Amino acid sequence: MEYPFWDVPLIGGGMLIGVIAILHVFVSHFAIGAGLFLVLTERKAYREGDLALLDYLKKHSTFFILVVLVFGAVSGVGIWWAIGLVHPTATSALIHIFVWAWAIEWVFFVVELLAAFIYYYGWDRLDARTHQTVGWIYFAGAWLSLFMINGILTFMLTTGRWTESHSIVDAFFNPTMLPSLLVRTAVTIALAGLYALITASAVADEALRERVVKYASKWVLVGMTIIPIGGIWYISRLPDQAREISMGGAPVVTLFAAASIVFSAFVFLATLVGPFLFPRRFHVTFAFVIVALGLITTGVTEWVREAVRKPYIIYDYMYSNAIRTEDVQKVWETGVLGTARWALLTEEEKKDPLRMGEKVFRFHCQSCHTVNGFNGIRFAVKGWKKDFLDIQIQNLDQLKGYMPPFLGTDEERHALVEWLYSLNNPPQQTAARP
């Protein structure tokens, strides 16, 4: 606990990261698949001498540049800003473990950005072969960027042999790295088709619109067909507890996991019976409905991936409240506030259990809980007596396997009990009772 805590009112830090990350994933994966879509479709247009299709691609690349290089870039910076403030300890750990992987990823990212600009401004300025080569360079840079990020992200859930070897190779090529890469690559293909449905449905020429709509729908169907194969492989490589959490161990997580499957099926069926079978009747409103279903699918799936990692932020290495598993004994001995450098507990606060309890909550619990908002602790402990609160806190990890153990001293635990009890039973109200 080497950093101050950033309190995000009502939604909490975790939800803030989640909102930014889901929107970024939905755009950044499109950025990769769109690169493949553009270059393969351009090749098809030149091979068939289809000038109308080429004209559509030029307009689609404008849409692509605006979405990817404006919103994608801003949301990418937003993720770094959010995780750095909400969870600086975990962010620092990932940077130290993967410093060279991050550096390589940034090289691919720069290549991706430069190639995207050249590809866009190269229309009618570069010959067809050179222009398509730039497109392939863009796609390669984008996919290799995903390759690097995917290794780091999957490490957070499946640390594999790294906990023993501390080797970056073991960390990067962790148990879920390859299956996750297959799933995410399939997602990029599906999203390339989904976004293309928006621009294709707005084409004025009916014959061209029908052809491009059907063509884009095939990308969606191919991507959505591969995703379940990779998904089964991915689930089979999860730690036992993470798999159990998603399959009934935690009802809310199970419901979201089921929702991920249901919404994925909706996207597939809506694409099949809409733009694929009846491209002539397809409308831009229908396109936005399918895209919205895709965004919901992305949201619930990413939420489940984060939820099954509990009680860790980095599996078997760091709990969600930033306490490393190797530091558990030390925290037990010195207390939560004794190891939190920014707790700054005054002598007056040490004598007041309510003020001490609030600080214990801030540094031990607030990375997941708010007081009154999302996952609010006031509602969670409503109606609980002090004895029940104390038993719950003493056996937190055993009663709720997705929560880390309470590691504070007896004095801190008693203070936390007093403060939690006071949330629904204010001291002055309690004192006024006969």
Side-chain angles (χ1 to χ4, degrees):
M1 296 185 179
E2 299 174 345
Y3 300 94
F5 178 79
W6 184 39
D7 182 15
V8 181
L10 295 179
I11 62 173
M15 178 62 78
L16 176 66
I17 293 175
V19 170
I20 298 174
I22 288 168
L23 293 175
H24 179 71
V25 164
F26 198 64
V27 170
S28 62
H29 283 52
F30 158 63
I32 300 162
L36 187 63
F37 179 88
L38 283 168
V39 75
L40 285 182
T41 310
E42 182 182 354
R43 182 183 175 191
K44 169 184 168 68
Y46 278 118
R47 190 176 63 241
E48 299 173 357
D50 192 339
L51 297 180
L53 183 58
L54 269 180
D55 188 56
Y56 159 76
L57 277 180
K58 293 173 187 174
K59 295 174 181 174
H60 183 66
S61 62
T62 302
F63 171 80
F64 158 77
I65 284 287
L66 289 174
V67 172
V68 171
L69 298 189
V70 178
F71 184 81
V74 171
S75 59
V77 172
I79 287 181
W80 274 105
W81 170 77
I83 64 172
L85 288 174
V86 172
H87 226 303
T89 310
T91 305
S92 172
L94 291 175
I95 290 174
H96 281 83
I97 295 168
F98 292 103
V99 61
W100 289 111
W102 285 119
I104 294 170
E105 192 274 330
W106 287 338
V107 171
F108 290 138
F109 180 61
V110 171
V111 170
E112 175 187 349
L113 282 180
L114 291 175
F117 280 120
I118 295 171
Y119 184 83
Y120 179 69
Y121 287 102
W123 283 110
D124 302 325
R125 293 180 175 86
L126 299 174
D127 61 80
R129 184 173 182 179
T130 304
H131 192 250
Q132 290 175 54
T133 301
V134 173
W136 280 113
I137 292 173
Y138 168 82
F139 172 66
W143 187 83
L144 287 170
S145 178
L146 170 68
F147 179 84
M148 301 306 297
I149 291 292
N150 176 69
I152 298 169
L153 280 179
T154 51
F155 165 78
M156 295 176 72
L157 177 56
T158 48
T159 47
R161 292 184 296 178
W162 175 84
T163 53
E164 298 172 1
S165 68
H166 284 198
S167 160
I168 186 175
V169 175
D170 288 336
F172 189 83
F173 293 100
N174 61 78
T176 57
M177 187 269 182
L178 289 177
S180 174
L181 185 63
L182 176 62
V183 171
R184 289 187 182 279
T185 300
V187 169
T188 67
I189 295 170
L191 287 181
L194 276 183
Y195 279 85
L197 285 176
I198 294 176
T199 54
S201 61
V203 171
D205 184 315
E206 288 188 12
L208 177 63
R209 183 173 67 241
E210 184 176 347
R211 280 194 294 121
V212 180
V213 162
K214 191 174 185 70
Y215 174 74
S217 70
K218 293 177 182 176
W219 283 70
V220 180
L221 296 176
V222 169
M224 297 302 294
T225 302
I226 299 172
I227 289 172
I229 300 170
I232 293 171
W233 184 17
Y234 178 81
I235 292 171
S236 71
R237 305 303 299 274
L238 291 177
D240 290 342
Q241 178 171 318
R243 189 165 47 250
E244 289 167 2
I245 286 177
S246 67
M247 295 183 174
V252 175
V253 180
T254 304
L255 287 174
F256 269 73
S260 171
I261 297 171
V262 170
F263 281 112
S264 296
F266 282 163
V267 171
F268 185 89
L269 291 174
T271 304
L272 181 66
V273 301
F276 182 74
L277 293 179
F278 304 100
R280 183 172 295 181
R281 300 179 183 177
F282 192 64
H283 191 270
V284 68
T285 305
F286 197 168
F288 276 104
V289 169
I290 299 177
V291 170
L293 287 171
L295 177 59
I296 294 171
T297 305
T298 303
V300 295
T301 306
E302 292 291 327
W303 188 89
V304 171
R305 183 182 62 80
E306 290 289 321
V308 299
R309 200 170 58 215
K310 302 295 180 185
Y312 302 99
I313 186 75
I314 300 175
Y315 220 84
D316 286 335
Y317 173 68
M318 184 183 295
Y319 286 114
S320 52
N321 54 14
I323 296 175
R324 294 180 180 84
T325 53
E326 64 185 22
D327 294 334
V328 165
Q329 187 61 39
K330 176 184 174 185
V331 179
W332 245 322
E333 293 172 356
T334 60
V336 174
L337 301 181
T339 54
R341 294 186 178 183
W342 293 82
L344 303 177
L345 200 65
T346 65
E347 289 300 320
E348 184 180 349
E349 287 173 327
K350 291 179 182 176
K351 298 175 183 176
D352 185 344
L354 293 183
R355 296 175 72 177
M356 177 187 283
E358 184 177 11
K359 286 211 167 183
V360 172
F361 172 78
R362 167 165 291 210
F363 285 94
H364 200 284
C365 317
Q366 210 166 352
S367 57
C368 296
H369 292 280
T370 63
V371 177
N372 295 306
F374 177 73
N375 204 16
I377 197 68
R378 185 195 300 275
F379 180 77
V381 301
K382 191 173 184 178
W384 292 15
K385 303 298 183 186
K386 290 183 182 180
D387 290 347
F388 187 66
L389 275 168
D390 196 37
I391 291 172
Q392 288 281 330
I393 293 172
Q394 287 188 59
N395 303 283
L396 208 53
D397 55 323
Q398 297 179 45
L399 294 171
K400 302 174 181 179
Y402 50 86
M403 294 185 69
F406 181 76
L407 300 175
T409 62
D410 289 345
E411 182 185 16
E412 289 175 341
R413 193 183 76 247
H414 293 315
L416 180 59
V417 167
E418 291 293 333
W419 183 76
L420 290 173
Y421 184 76
S422 74
L423 292 176
N424 293 298
N425 305 275
Q428 62 274 21
Q429 180 179 320
T430 306
R433 290 175 182 169

